[in-house]
Amino acid sequence: MTSDPMEAFFQLHRDLPREGPGEPQDVAWAAKVAGLSPDAQMADVGCGPGGDIAALLDAAPRGHVTALDKTPHFVAAVRRDWQQEGRVTVLKADMKAIHNSYDMIWCAGAVYFMGVKAALEAWRKSLTANGVVAFSEACWLTDNPSARARALWDGEYPNMTDAVGVQQQISDAGYDILGTRRVSDAGWEAYYGPLEARIAMLRPQADAALSEVLDVAAEEIACWRAHRDEFGYLLSVVRPK
């Protein structure tokens, strides 16, 4: 029997440390740009398996992280790993409906589910007086991407724009930009390295549905390694005007 495509997706992504490119230095940089206090209240929105929680706790040694995701598998993984940490609260919740107030809302690679402008507008009410949103967003780094890169992102994120487009959406949402930087190659490898190893592990016993999922993921990795100068993630720290 062929497995369900969604089941196959989570079979591939089960127990990965991250669900997108990033590294602890991204969080540290964002906290410095924001002037984050040691006792900051933080939300990790669309937290996935919790790959950034440790870095967020390091950024605010007396602070607290509310990690939320609507995917049960990820919520269970974060609860398993962080249930003994009193400075972490894990919620099964939709990123479209954030409650409470935070000094920093962190969102690594998940803003595209809502769109930059819509997300920033929705989250504004959940920021403290000097609160910030720090998020990474996929964007083009060239005006003339290759057919291979275009094919990848037309399937993944057809509305993807460039850095100027991202910055315009931030401005349209009524925010000032405190700083931007690209997620490094090391951040991409932090995601793709474990993903690549899991693809290799699953190949021998993969059925048709899983094989298709593995092929798509392998092409994504190969495309980035061949065309990394054409697209990337822009990390932005923004504050309401």
Side-chain angles (χ1 to χ4, degrees), residues 32-65:
K32 183 176 181 180
V33 170
L36 200 66
S37 66
D39 58 352
Q41 296 294 305
M42 299 163 287
D44 186 356
V45 177
C47 65
D52 290 320
I53 293 175
L56 289 166
L57 293 175
D58 286 345
R62 299 191 302 276
H64 185 276
V65 174

Side-chain angles (χ1 to χ4, degrees), residues 119-201:
L120 294 180
E121 290 174 341
W123 297 344
R124 187 173 191 142
K125 63 179 174 47
S126 295
L127 292 173
T128 58
N130 291 311
V132 303
V133 179
F135 68 96
S136 56
E137 170 76 346
C139 66
W140 293 112
L141 305 177
T142 176
D143 294 331
N144 298 293
S146 63
R148 186 181 187 185
R150 177 66 74 180
L152 170 68
W153 288 101
D154 280 352
E156 296 253 345
Y157 190 13
N159 295 325
M160 190 168 81
T161 183
D162 57 11
V164 173
V166 174
Q167 291 163 5
Q168 184 61 56
Q169 293 173 62
I170 292 168
S171 178
D172 289 346
Y175 281 69
D176 287 323
I177 299 172
L178 304 184
T180 63
R181 80 172 197 172
R182 283 173 55 184
V183 172
S184 71
D185 286 358
W188 284 83
E189 292 292 358
Y191 171 49
Y192 282 152
L195 182 60
E196 199 168 41
R198 187 153 180 85
I199 290 171
M201 182 188 76

